[in-house]
Amino acid sequence: MVETTAERVLTTEHQPDGLCRILALDGGGAKGFYTLGVLKEIEAMLDCPLYKRFDVIFGTSTGAIIASLIALGYKIDDIHDLYKEHVPTVMGKKNAASRTAALAKLASDIFGTQTFEDVKTRIGVVATRWLTERPMIFKGSVDQAHGRRGTFSPGFGVSIADAVQASCSAYPFFQRFCNNYLGSVTSNRSCQGYAQAFTSHVNVVLSPFACM
């Protein structure tokens, strides 16, 4: 007889307490499974979807996949199921071209046509413009804009799938990702979320959650 575990129902509604909580998720390919293990414990302790408790979620590479799914409202168990389905396929490819093709399929299958206007909390998908070697952060809210609020466009107008693929494109393991004006490779700078959140919430005390 196979023992089944009932799906956990997350029911707690936390009241605002004046803190700005930041979740910063680093890269590392299949190491995302470890990140998901930690996040599952945090989710269980909070007893609510993580997007409802974290005001800012930043992610790089595999962390960008997780951050985007959390911001879209996914529970950690559902993200883990997606990882088990897709990540071994991507990481098991033998060369950069095939890994890039598999990554593009993963992004398309998981995120479809969803955009940064669909997220439920502030998000930052971290990549780097490889021509200038400068960070490029795809953000979802005008609250995260610095000096360009009048022309702000969520995610620079691209889809979440494209932004995630740009963040995951760690050259030469993957091919460089180029789409319209984008030319990006991964940048392990998830802690930029702290700087971004501090600038956006100068009068708010930052919570002590560590960067993963």
Side-chain angles (χ1 to χ4, degrees):
M1 179 178 179
V2 178
E3 183 178 347
T4 59
T5 303
E7 182 179 356
R8 181 179 179 83
V9 179
L10 306 172
T11 59
T12 299
E13 293 290 338
H14 295 274
Q15 297 302 310
D17 57 10
L19 295 179
C20 175
R21 290 178 169 81
I22 306 148
L23 184 62
L25 307 174
D26 226 333
K31 291 181 181 178
F33 283 105
Y34 293 101
T35 300
L36 289 171
V38 175
L39 292 177
K40 181 168 181 170
E41 291 299 319
I42 295 175
E43 183 185 70
M45 287 189 294
L46 295 173
D47 190 37
C48 74
L50 295 184
Y51 78 87
K52 290 187 175 182
R53 196 56 171 163
F54 286 96
D55 304 281
V56 184
I57 304 176
F58 265 56
T60 299
S61 191
T62 194
I65 299 174
I66 298 171
S68 298
L69 289 170
I70 292 173
L72 287 168
Y74 282 70
K75 293 189 293 185
I76 299 303
D77 279 343
D78 295 331
I79 300 174
H80 188 262
D81 288 342
L82 289 172
Y83 258 63
K84 287 189 294 183
E85 179 181 353
H86 291 280
V87 171
T89 301
V90 175
M91 303 307 292
K93 299 297 183 181
K94 301 300 184 183
N95 56 61
S98 59
R99 282 190 291 268
T100 299
L103 174 62
K105 186 177 186 304
L106 176 154
S108 176
D109 288 351
I110 291 179
F111 296 107
T113 59
Q114 293 181 103
T115 71
F116 283 82
E117 296 182 274
D118 297 318
V119 298
K120 302 175 184 293
T121 190
R122 296 176 184 86
I123 186 175
V125 173
V126 182
T128 295
R129 277 187 184 272
W130 61 270
L131 288 176
T132 60
E133 298 184 353
R134 293 183 62 83
M136 185 171 188
I137 305 174
F138 302 85
K139 306 169 188 174
S141 171
V142 68
D143 293 342
Q144 299 170 262
H146 304 302
R148 298 183 180 179
R149 290 176 177 266
T151 58
F152 178 82
S153 177
F156 300 111
V158 307
S159 67
I160 292 177
D162 279 353
V164 165
Q165 190 176 352
S167 182
C168 289
S169 296
Y171 182 80
F173 193 76
F174 292 95
Q175 295 174 326
R176 294 188 179 97
F177 179 74
C178 298
N179 185 3
N180 296 328
Y181 66 92
L182 302 181
S184 300
V185 295
T186 191
S187 172
N188 259 346
R189 295 174 179 171
S190 293
C191 285
Q192 290 189 50
Y194 286 89
Q196 293 284 324
F198 184 79
T199 304
S200 301
H201 301 81
V202 290
N203 296 319
V204 180
V205 178
L206 299 182
S207 73
F209 280 96
C211 175
M212 297 177 200

